[in-house]
């Protein structure tokens, strides 16, 4: 959290009363696919669940996605954001942004009770670090899956 | 799967109301124009898949599932 900006509070399903600073809000001008009206989120990090982070909607208290830094899911991930999407989050549309420096890159995770553990590598969440504008940038190629399986470490691979 | 060969400038119809026009062809891409009634959603398939997956991902995650997740990522 940055200091000096006004603190707001929202009552969430996942965290109860959640305080956040206005400067920490992520603006998703296009929402997320399937959730086009959800344009304001905050990222909640908790030591107990690191590296998993929570993408909590500020417009729907019950809506919270799980995410992980792309580097934790696929260290070799090759970012490919379309020029239109880059413009939407106020980045140079002539080249790919540098993860870590210019953008934070996250994969949304699925962990349904009766389903497999997967990460959406087809559509990473990309956040402009400078302006806090963000987008779920759906790729136009088919190099990565929307249901990339997360394998348990230490499992034998043969 | 129905296979149809078309050139740039030609089109095909799906039902009575949906027309797909081949605007441009390149070595690795084709540019399509789609004329369809407003009530028909036209989406890249990747966006459709991500929509569906976002609905799955937005469901509540149990403590047990969170532990399984952390097992895979730590």
């Amino acid at each position: 959290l940055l200091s000096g900006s006004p603190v707001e509070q929202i009552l969430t399903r996942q965290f109860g009363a959640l305080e956040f600073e206005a400067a920490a809000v992520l603006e998703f001008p296009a929402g997320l696919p399937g959730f086009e009206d959800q344009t304001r989120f905050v990222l909640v990090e908790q030591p107990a669940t690191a590296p998993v982070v929570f993408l909590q909607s500020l417009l729907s208290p019950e809506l919270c996605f799980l995410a992980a830094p792309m580097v934790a899911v696929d260290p070799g991930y090759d970012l490919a954001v379309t020029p239109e999407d880059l413009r939407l989050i106020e980045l140079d549309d002539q080249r790919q942004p540098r993860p870590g420096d210019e953008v934070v890159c996250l994969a949304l995770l699925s962990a349904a009770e009766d389903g497999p553990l997967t990460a959406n590598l087809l559509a990473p969440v990309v956040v402009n670090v400078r302006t806090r504008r963000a987008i779920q940038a759906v790729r136009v190629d088919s190099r990565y899956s929307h249901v990339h399986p997360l394998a348990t470490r230490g499992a034998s691979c043969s | 799967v129905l296979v149809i060969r078309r050139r740039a400038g030609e089109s095909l119809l799906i039902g009575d109301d949906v027309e797909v026009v081949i605007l441009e062809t390149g070595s690795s891409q084709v540019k399509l124009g789609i004329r369809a009634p407003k009530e028909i959603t036209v989406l890249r398939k990747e966006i459709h898949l991500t929509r569906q997956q976002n609905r799955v991902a937005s469901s509540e995650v149990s403590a047990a599932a969170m532990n399984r997740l952390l097992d895979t990522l730590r």
Side-chain angles (χ1 to χ4, degrees):
Chain A
L1 286 180
L2 306 173
S3 57
S5 71
V7 174
E8 297 173 44
Q9 197 187 66
I10 180 180
L11 198 59
T12 66
R13 184 187 71 192
Q14 182 86 28
F15 305 102
L18 178 69
E19 286 196 341
F20 60 94
E21 292 189 15
V25 174
L26 305 184
E27 300 280 353
F28 284 73
L32 276 68
F35 297 89
E36 284 78 8
D37 55 344
Q38 301 293 315
T39 52
R40 284 162 59 81
F41 286 83
V42 282
L43 270 184
V44 182
E45 301 177 33
Q46 303 183 125
T49 55
V52 173
V53 295
F54 300 83
L55 189 62
Q56 169 68 52
S57 167
L58 295 179
L59 301 179
S60 297
E62 73 289 349
L63 181 62
C64 184
F65 293 97
L66 298 185
M70 191 56 87
V71 69
V73 178
D74 181 352
Y77 187 78
D78 186 18
L79 194 60
V81 185
T82 65
E84 301 81 64
D85 285 355
L86 287 171
R87 284 196 291 276
L88 209 56
I89 57 170
E90 302 170 324
L91 288 169
D92 185 351
D93 64 4
Q94 300 296 308
R95 61 176 178 81
Q96 289 300 309
R98 293 183 299 274
D101 170 7
E102 292 176 298
V103 292
V104 168
C105 189
L106 303 166
L108 293 191
L109 308 175
S110 296
E113 209 49 63
D114 50 354
L117 301 176
T118 63
N120 187 345
L121 300 193
L122 176 68
V125 168
V126 180
V127 181
N128 180 337
V129 172
R130 193 172 54 80
T131 65
R132 302 217 140 242
R133 277 216 182 205
I135 192 166
Q136 189 172 15
V138 185
R139 302 177 70 100
V140 293
D141 60 20
S142 49
R143 276 182 65 187
Y144 292 97
S145 169
H146 65 297
V147 284
H148 174 80
L150 295 171
T152 305
R153 300 247 168 100
S156 64
C157 36
S158 51
Chain B
V1 179
L2 172 69
V3 177
I4 305 176
R5 283 183 196 281
R6 302 267 67 189
R7 297 175 198 280
E10 298 176 344
S11 68
L12 57 94
L13 293 171
I14 300 172
D16 290 334
D17 298 334
V18 179
E19 180 176 12
V20 179
V21 188
I22 297 23
L23 297 174
E24 243 177 70
T25 60
S27 55
S28 67
Q29 274 191 333
V30 293
K31 190 169 174 182
L32 303 175
I34 294 152
R35 201 171 286 130
K38 272 206 177 71
E39 63 273 16
I40 293 188
T41 307
V42 179
L43 271 185
R44 286 198 284 129
K45 185 176 177 184
E46 301 87 63
I47 294 180
H48 175 71
L49 292 174
T50 289
R51 264 191 180 181
Q52 288 180 320
Q53 197 57 33
N54 280 350
R55 291 202 189 102
V56 174
S58 67
S59 62
E60 197 161 6
V61 171
S62 67
M66 175 60 90
N67 284 334
R68 286 197 296 141
L69 255 187
L70 292 176
D71 265 354
T72 69
L73 291 169
R74 279 179 171 164

